[in-house]
Amino acid sequence: MKSFDKNELMIIAKPKKFALVGNPNCGKTTLFNNLTGSTAHTGNWPGVTVDRREGEYKKCPETVTIVDLPGIYSLSPYTPEEVVSRNFILDEKPDCIINIIDATNLERNLYLTTQIMEIDVPVIIALNMIDEVKKSGDTIDAAVLEKKIGVPVVAISALKGEGTTELMDRAYEIAGQKRDGFTVLEQSKLSHLINDVAIALKGQDIENPLFHAVKLVESDELEVAAHKPLLGMIDNFKSTFQDDIFGVDFEALIADGRYKYISKNYSTALTRNSKTDKSKLTKSDKIDRVLTHRIWGIPMFLLILFAIFHLVFSENFLFIGAALGKDWVSLPGTAFEGVFGAGGINSPGAILQGLMEVLMTWITDGVASLLVNSPAWVTGLLCDGILGGLSAVLSFIPQILLLLMLFSILEDTGYMARVAFILDRILRRFGLSGRAFMPMIMGFGCSVPAMINTRTLADENERVATVRVIPFFSCGAKLPILTAISGGIVMSFGIGNADIITYSMYVVGIVTAILAVVLMKTTTMKGDAAPFIMELPNYRLPQFKSLMLLMWDKAKHFIQKAFTIILASTIIIWFVSHFSFDWKFLEDSQMNNSILAGFGKLIQPLFTPLGFGSQLNEWGWVFIVSAITGLIAKENVVATFGTLAACIGANVVGGADGIAETALMIQASGITIPALIAFIAFNMITIPCMAAVATAKAEMPNKKKFKWTLVFWICTSYIVGTIIYLVGSWWWTIFIVLAVMALVVAGIIIYNTKAKIFKFKNKKDKK
Ligand code: GDP
Ligand code: MG
């Protein structure tokens, strides 16, 4: 018989599974990354992890699987992501639960602990953020806490990697051992009632009887639905019980019992620094007084946003203008002409973009010089088709990364959570909660994770409405459209600052999103906002390492996309723009007779109200086909633009970047400024890329809602584009727009009051 050695057996045995469970923002993902060496995204706001994630820890005698779960405040879940955590703990039976506690917020975090302890599973407590506790001068005695709670407690700092080895060693020790659930309610008046129910459950061989018993006494929705046959008996037990204060509100009674127990027994492990004066405001409070001010909060947010755009896009940094000597800034005659500024200093973002442009021009020229003797179509395909398209997109990567980095700094410091809080005050009036703002802000990075993040919303209507407007928060891939076109406007018409245009377009997106949500919530998706229970995280300094990881991830993502989807699209676009319907090869100047042009011209009239339809000359179709290729990936809009412009302007000397190429297209097509702005808005708001559409479909509760979502995107982008073009071209049309808006608002008010009267009547009828 073959004998197994120890190692082989270990491979066969199922690996041990440890689950990380804790409140939102307590450092679960940071610990997960530390233990498994992964680079999952952490963030200083609740709800960053909405699905479970697994990794391996290798420093125990055998490899252990670590599972990172979404944060939860209690085991009675309200939102889809919270259900993920609860079900994992109960159904997948981890070998050990690592309950992470934010030690700076001991009592609130222990509330969840008291519930986890009721489950028959080994538990270890990781007392995280101990570095912050020490810094404040407080002390927590882990040994005292361990003795009182009766499960191992290890003080750690997930961020600095302190105490994590001890944590894992002790977790490994207790993993798989038997532990019977224990409830802190044992000493309360409810103990008889809970025990009776627990005994009944045990009699039926139900796992974790104590846990289910407490939840059934609480009348937890999920439990009540799962144990219907037992309800009669439980109600019988309950009917004999009545509390002086809480009456028969068992949920409140149990919550009260837990908190009382925690403050009486566990809080004693914490000694506050005697020197900190409680009446004095903490640093965080002081900053909050300014940043979350009732009146100044929102203007301050807009100002901060503008500062970011100025830093990334401005070609007139700090508005110094030409005050500084021109020549040594603009370096005329060199390869770096205009990179550092021309008529003004460039912002860091614009400088990076300029440098990238120099690099791309250098590559394009190099390739062109190698190809001098090859046939025209080879040079055309390589230089104009592929390099023209790719460089249009690649030259914006530094700016995209810088912008995303600044946003993620705002997020990591905890400021974005404050913005959600400020906006909650306003949004609540329209039946929306500030919670919905967080996935929206994530949309600035990419719509896909943002849409998935809507699982943190409890209300289905609110979720649907939020998923629909997330694409309006212009993602990284849409940024080249904004930059290329606003840069092109500045270059061709010599007006405006590129940063002001990009900033305004972002604001247009945000405002459209908020108006659209308000409109939905007052008409087809009525309902009150769910309570906003997020607490404000402490202000924290962003971590350099995690910022760099994020940048690296995003850069990889864009470059991968550039050399796959976008590369393929540029090649296809080049071919269909250089062949006629009877498959004859066309010169660049004959592109107007191509298959692509024919297709573009066919639907071009549809866009006349937006300014880039029939009023343009024979090159107008370029805008249409660019917008359509954007449905695959938004970078394609500028890539297609680049490819076609490079062909049109093959003989014109110009830089190899999206801005110069756009300027060329503007000249060639005779498009106006309002039409260009409408073009940006249309691309920003219309149907997003394929990946986002697929995600939206998956996150919608049913097919009908998804179909309406597509209709919604098309209509909204068309309407916003039209308004921009009309008002931009003929300012007096603003009166028409306002009149129509007033009619719509009046219509909604009438519709809503009618609906109310109708409901009222219904109620009367019933009586
Ligand atoms: P999660 O929501 O529980 O997954 O929490 P995250 O892992 O995303 O962390 C939330 C915030 O807490 C981040 O800003 C982390 O940098 C920070 N953080 C996590 N662990 C520690 C720690 O041990 N010390 C300090 N000072 N900050 C931490
Ligand atoms: Mg997390």
Side-chain angles (χ1 to χ4, degrees):
M1 196 179 84
K2 189 177 184 296
S3 69
F4 290 101
D5 74 26
K6 210 171 135 233
N7 283 329
E8 272 179 299
L9 269 178
M10 263 186 319
I11 297 165
I12 293 162
K14 232 173 97 195
K16 286 204 160 65
K17 218 172 232 186
F18 293 4
L20 303 182
V21 182
N23 285 186
N25 217 33
C26 68
K28 292 175 300 299
T29 304
T30 310
L31 181 63
F32 176 81
N33 287 347
N34 180 297
L35 295 177
T36 63
S38 352
T39 55
H41 183 49
T42 61
N44 195 11
W45 72 23
V48 175
T49 313
V50 289
D51 216 342
R52 57 188 253 200
R53 186 169 18 211
E54 298 193 0
E56 287 184 339
Y57 178 75
K58 300 208 167 105
K59 288 188 217 150
C60 282
E62 61 181 295
T63 302
V64 176
T65 306
I66 310 276
V67 187
D68 183 23
L69 294 170
I72 42 175
Y73 290 110
S74 98
L75 288 172
S76 294
Y78 293 103
T79 68
E81 49 144 11
E82 288 170 347
V83 178
V84 170
S85 296
R86 174 192 176 277
N87 288 355
F88 183 87
I89 298 169
L90 290 176
D91 302 340
E92 307 217 6
K93 303 185 191 76
D95 297 285
C96 178
I97 289 182
I98 301 181
N99 176 206
I100 305 180
I101 284 179
D102 173 355
T104 62
N105 224 326
L106 196 63
E107 292 187 4
R108 184 187 31 77
N109 278 257
L110 284 169
Y111 182 71
L112 175 67
T113 310
T114 60
Q115 298 181 43
I116 295 173
M117 279 163 37
E118 286 158 2
I119 305 172
D120 302 336
V121 62
V123 181
I124 182 167
I125 292 177
L127 203 54
N128 192 27
M129 312 227 185
I130 206 71
D131 55 319
E132 271 190 31
V133 174
K134 277 186 198 149
K135 217 160 79 193
S136 68
D138 299 346
T139 46
I140 298 181
D141 193 329
V144 169
L145 206 56
E146 174 164 338
K147 214 162 150 204
K148 297 230 156 137
I149 303 183
V151 300
V153 177
V154 182
I156 67 163
S157 165
L159 195 65
K160 304 193 166 156
E162 285 161 17
T164 50
T165 314
E166 189 197 341
L167 174 75
M168 287 307 290
D169 288 348
R170 293 194 68 184
Y172 187 76
E173 245 168 60
I174 60 165
Q177 282 176 15
K178 203 173 144 37
R179 191 186 74 87
D180 280 330
F182 159 80
T183 178
V184 298
L185 303 163
E186 205 102 274
Q187 301 176 355
S188 76
K189 281 182 271 178
L190 279 169
S191 69
H192 270 302
L193 181 57
I194 292 169
N195 275 335
D196 287 348
V197 179
I199 290 167
L201 289 172
K202 220 181 232 169
Q204 302 206 354
D205 266 347
I206 289 175
E207 283 181 347
N208 300 315
L210 182 62
F211 171 80
H212 291 297
V214 177
K215 287 289 166 207
L216 279 168
V217 171
E218 261 180 43
S219 305
D220 173 89
E221 264 177 46
L222 289 173
E223 294 291 327
V224 167
H227 297 111
K228 284 235 164 76
L230 292 169
L231 294 184
M233 178 198 70
I234 292 167
D235 282 342
N236 230 343
F237 284 145
K238 278 187 179 176
S239 63
T240 58
F241 189 90
Q242 171 85 30
D243 184 74
D244 305 340
I245 304 168
F246 295 101
V248 286
D249 185 349
F250 289 93
E251 206 182 335
L253 194 57
I254 285 179
D256 182 64
R258 291 189 199 281
Y259 273 120
K260 278 207 180 110
Y261 190 90
I262 291 170
S263 57
K264 194 168 147 218
N265 297 287
Y266 300 157
S267 302
T268 46
L270 170 74
T271 328
R272 294 242 180 241
N273 182 357
S274 57
K275 272 183 240 149
T276 42
D277 183 358
K278 274 215 183 127
S279 62
K280 245 168 113 189
L281 290 173
T282 64
K283 224 195 245 160
S284 241
D285 289 337
K286 272 189 211 152
I287 304 174
D288 271 343
R289 278 209 156 171
V290 182
L291 288 182
T292 61
H293 190 271
R294 288 177 57 98
I295 297 161
W296 297 114
I298 288 181
M300 216 129 36
F301 171 57
L302 290 175
L303 206 71
I304 290 173
L305 265 192
F306 181 74
I308 288 181
F309 280 87
H310 188 66
L311 208 65
V312 179
F313 298 107
S314 178
E315 285 171 1
N316 187 5
F317 195 47
L318 304 176
F319 302 104
I320 324 179
L324 289 159
K326 248 188 191 168
D327 276 4
W328 65 263
V329 181
S330 60
L331 305 173
T334 67
F336 294 97
E337 180 165 356
V339 168
F340 299 98
I345 311 275
N346 279 351
S347 63
I351 293 177
L352 285 175
Q353 196 257 341
L355 290 174
M356 197 68 182
E357 216 173 274
V358 172
L359 181 72
M360 296 310 301
T361 312
W362 186 71
I363 294 174
T364 315
D365 288 351
V367 173
S369 68
L370 286 178
L371 295 175
V372 271
N373 295 323
S374 9
W377 72 269
V378 175
T379 338
L381 174 62
L382 278 177
C383 289
D384 302 339
I386 294 176
L387 281 171
L390 280 190
S391 64
V393 175
L394 289 177
S395 63
F396 293 114
I397 283 189
Q399 268 171 322
I400 295 175
L401 294 184
L402 188 64
L403 186 72
L404 292 181
M405 188 179 85
L406 293 171
F407 273 133
S408 98
I409 289 178
L410 286 194
E411 180 192 318
D412 285 356
T413 50
Y415 177 66
M416 283 302 195
R418 265 92 185 161
V419 177
F421 171 74
I422 307 172
L423 283 178
D424 186 67
R425 289 196 291 241
I426 302 171
L427 294 179
R428 184 150 298 280
R429 292 190 202 150
F430 302 104
L432 262 190
S433 75
R435 252 265 189 245
F437 181 69
M438 294 202 261
M440 291 181 193
I441 281 286
M442 281 179 83
F444 283 139
C446 175
S447 296
V448 172
M451 284 175 178
I452 294 173
N453 190 271
T454 58
R455 291 180 199 166
T456 55
L457 303 174
D459 178 54
E460 189 179 286
N461 279 343
E462 190 173 14
R463 266 196 85 193
V464 170
T466 310
V467 168
R468 286 180 178 168
V469 300
I470 278 174
F472 301 174
F473 292 79
S474 191
C475 72
K478 288 177 186 167
L479 194 137
I481 310 176
L482 271 119
T483 322
I485 296 193
S486 53
I489 292 176
V490 173
M491 200 164 168
S492 312
F493 300 95
I495 57 132
N497 289 313
D499 56 336
I500 296 180
I501 302 178
T502 45
Y503 172 73
S504 316
M505 291 320 289
Y506 269 76
V507 174
V508 165
I510 300 176
V511 171
T512 309
I514 291 177
L515 287 182
V517 171
V518 169
L519 208 65
M520 279 188 257
K521 286 291 286 188
T522 45
T523 54
T524 56
M525 300 185 169
K526 269 188 237 156
D528 283 332
F532 186 39
I533 38 170
M534 185 190 86
E535 23 117 26
L536 294 181
N538 285 336
Y539 281 106
R540 292 200 174 96
L541 279 181
Q543 283 324 110
F544 180 75
K545 195 175 144 199
S546 81
L547 278 181
M548 288 305 116
L549 281 174
L550 182 78
M551 296 296 95
W552 172 238
D553 250 27
K554 295 279 174 191
K556 243 183 9 198
H557 176 76
F558 275 110
I559 291 170
Q560 253 169 20
K561 236 166 137 190
F563 286 97
T564 49
I565 298 181
I566 300 165
L567 178 68
S569 306
T570 54
I571 296 174
I572 294 171
I573 288 290
W574 189 84
F575 272 103
V576 287
S577 62
H578 283 78
F579 282 94
S580 61
F581 280 102
D582 44 11
W583 291 110
K584 264 201 212 112
F585 178 71
L586 301 171
E587 293 290 317
D588 284 344
S589 55
Q590 301 168 319
M591 272 189 339
N592 275 328
N593 303 320
S594 64
I595 301 174
L596 192 65
F599 175 68
K601 282 176 186 166
L602 190 69
I603 48 173
Q604 196 175 348
L606 284 178
F607 294 91
T608 309
L610 287 80
F612 46 98
S614 306
Q615 60 269 76
L616 298 186
N617 65 23
E618 76 260 23
W619 292 110
W621 57 270
V622 171
F623 288 92
I624 311 301
V625 296
S626 301
I628 287 173
T629 55
L631 298 182
I632 300 167
K634 287 291 161 184
E635 292 94 334
N636 268 341
V637 176
V638 167
T640 306
F641 229 76
T643 300
L644 296 173
C647 298
I648 294 172
N651 308 318
V652 185
V653 192
D657 75 303
I659 294 177
E661 283 161 351
T662 308
L664 250 162
M665 270 315 302
I666 293 174
Q667 264 173 37
S669 65
I671 194 168
T672 62
I673 298 177
L676 284 164
I677 306 259
F679 180 72
I680 304 180
F682 177 78
N683 278 297
M684 227 168 97
I685 296 173
T686 199
I687 300 179
C689 67
M690 261 173 358
V693 172
T695 314
K697 191 172 176 194
E699 297 298 321
M700 286 285 156
N702 55 48
K703 273 203 181 123
K704 199 175 141 213
K705 287 239 161 70
F706 171 66
K707 278 183 197 147
W708 277 109
T709 304
L710 293 178
V711 174
F712 167 76
W713 283 331
I714 296 173
C715 292
T716 315
S717 56
Y718 201 82
I719 293 170
V720 173
T722 307
I723 292 176
I724 290 178
Y725 178 64
L726 283 183
V727 175
S729 304
W730 304 284
W731 65 269
W732 46 265
T733 52
I734 186 125
F735 297 115
I736 301 174
V737 171
L738 287 177
V740 172
M741 278 183 175
L743 275 178
V744 171
V745 171
I748 290 169
I749 293 173
I750 291 170
Y751 169 84
N752 282 347
T753 39
K754 270 220 174 129
K756 254 182 222 155
I757 295 169
F758 185 68
K759 262 189 204 153
F760 188 64
K761 264 191 192 157
N762 259 354
K763 264 188 200 154
K764 267 194 188 160
D765 287 351
K766 269 182 198 157
K767 272 183 191 169

